[in-house]
Amino acid sequence: MSPSAKENGSNGVSANGHDAVPDVAEVQLPQVEGEWTVDKVLDALPGDKPTEGTTSPLAFFHILEKLKTNKREGWRRFGINRGESISDHMYRMSLISMFAPPALASKLDMAKCMKMCLIHDMAESIVGDITPVDGVPKQEKSRREATTMDYITKGLLGNVDGGKVGEEIRAIWQEYEDSKTLESHYVHDIDKMELLLQMVEYEKRGDHKLDLGEFAYVKTRIVLPEIQAWADDLLKEWNAYWVGHEHVRGDKAVESSGVSAQKKAMQDDYYNKE
């Protein structure tokens, strides 16, 4: 047996002679039949169901781990199965938010923006990452996420420190969803900017064999001119990489983008209600 086979425990024994442990690194969220509920997901997950209504935040801390194990699903369609996690995405967003140009930063509650970056996808710990092409209506996606945030902030955190932190988390999440404040517009734009960065980084490691250009669509949905400027610079870098190679241009009209009209319509529907 090769050393790598022993290390992987393919014969049921680890390299140190002990029984090999099962793969515990990633926990796939279960498929739910019928109407989606938080309880159906939690009942199907391994381990004990979180205890609600306690004064301890430990159950909440455990739920947060699922943001580390759950992947950003859009990349899987292109064979990137060990790509970024949801928490990877939110961590870089929170750091990017610190770099608002001075004229914009002076108008923003920067602390709230950083919190919003770390909170905005929290519901995906239980809901999972639903993408524009998954066929889940935006209204249903919103219902699942709002239900999950109520469970987390009231069921798990309602009695922790008088519920104050839970209430703050729920309010910041709702502000992001409502997308009416400058802070929420800024974080929505950073969300798209982070996706564009990851698109370019994955493609460059793919040596022109990985074309993720449909994701460039989100460039067209960036609102604030300061973030548009960042995205413009990034797409110049992207275009330079693709010189001499055909590739999909999700930031262009359907006729010249390489994206089907059906997929473009799904993207429009997904982002029009932000």
Side-chain angles (χ1 to χ4, degrees):
M1 181 184 297
S2 69
S4 60
K6 288 183 67 179
E7 289 165 4
N8 291 332
S10 58
N11 66 338
V13 179
S14 65
N16 61 11
H18 297 295
D19 290 344
V21 299
D23 182 5
V24 298
E26 185 174 353
V27 180
Q28 293 287 339
L29 288 174
Q31 295 295 314
V32 170
E33 294 187 8
E35 183 180 9
W36 186 97
T37 68
V38 170
D39 281 337
K40 285 182 180 178
V41 174
L42 295 177
D43 287 341
L45 286 172
D48 297 330
K49 192 172 180 179
T51 302
E52 297 183 48
T54 73
T55 58
S56 169
L58 286 180
F60 171 68
F61 295 165
H62 284 307
I63 286 290
L64 290 181
E65 193 250 355
K66 292 174 175 47
L67 295 171
K68 297 168 64 177
T69 58
N70 292 347
K71 301 296 186 181
R72 295 261 286 168
E73 289 296 332
W75 311 122
R76 287 188 191 271
R77 290 188 291 111
F78 294 85
I80 306 173
N81 294 317
R82 297 177 63 191
E84 61 171 342
S85 70
I86 296 164
S87 59
D88 291 335
H89 166 64
M90 293 196 293
Y91 172 74
R92 180 156 62 171
M93 278 182 62
S94 69
L95 288 179
I96 291 172
S97 74
M98 297 170 62
F99 289 85
L104 178 58
S106 65
K107 305 172 189 175
L108 292 166
D109 180 338
M110 295 297 290
K112 179 188 280 188
C113 290
M114 292 180 67
K115 290 179 180 180
M116 194 176 289
C117 287
L118 295 171
I119 289 169
H120 80 287
D121 279 342
M122 186 178 290
E124 293 181 10
S125 59
I126 295 173
V127 175
D129 180 25
I130 298 174
T131 75
V133 300
D134 287 338
V136 178
K138 184 72 172 181
Q139 185 176 7
E140 171 61 13
K141 176 179 182 291
S142 297
R143 182 192 72 82
R144 295 181 188 185
E145 292 179 347
T147 300
T148 298
M149 290 306 293
D150 286 341
Y151 163 75
I152 290 173
T153 60
K154 298 174 184 176
L156 299 185
L157 294 176
N159 289 331
V160 177
D161 192 23
K164 290 184 291 185
V165 176
E167 289 173 1
E168 181 186 18
I169 289 172
R170 185 64 174 80
I172 290 174
W173 180 84
Q174 193 64 56
E175 182 177 342
Y176 175 82
E177 287 295 298
D178 292 341
S179 194
K180 294 178 180 178
T181 64
L182 180 60
E183 285 78 11
S184 64
H185 294 160
Y186 179 54
V187 174
H188 273 291
D189 280 359
I190 292 173
D191 184 37
K192 297 173 179 66
M193 185 67 199
E194 204 285 327
L195 185 152
L196 291 171
L197 286 162
Q198 191 64 75
M199 175 193 78
V200 172
E201 290 153 0
Y202 279 151
E203 283 189 340
K204 284 186 173 182
R205 292 198 289 275
D207 192 25
H208 298 106
K209 297 179 179 67
L210 179 64
D211 188 345
L212 303 172
E214 70 176 56
F215 294 97
Y217 169 88
V218 302
K219 164 67 167 62
T220 68
R221 311 302 298 213
I222 292 175
V223 174
L224 299 175
E226 294 85 355
I227 314 307
Q228 287 174 347
W230 288 349
D232 286 339
D233 288 344
L234 179 62
L235 290 202
K236 288 177 185 176
E237 178 185 323
W238 183 52
N239 290 329
Y241 168 74
W242 281 107
V243 166
H245 299 267
E246 292 291 327
H247 72 107
V248 174
R249 289 295 305 264
D251 57 323
K252 300 296 184 182
V254 169
E255 311 83 62
S256 57
S257 69
V259 178
S260 71
Q262 181 184 22
K263 186 170 290 183
K264 174 70 160 48
M266 290 179 175
Q267 291 174 320
D268 287 341
D269 182 65
Y270 185 91
Y271 287 104
N272 278 345
K273 299 182 181 67
E274 281 196 344

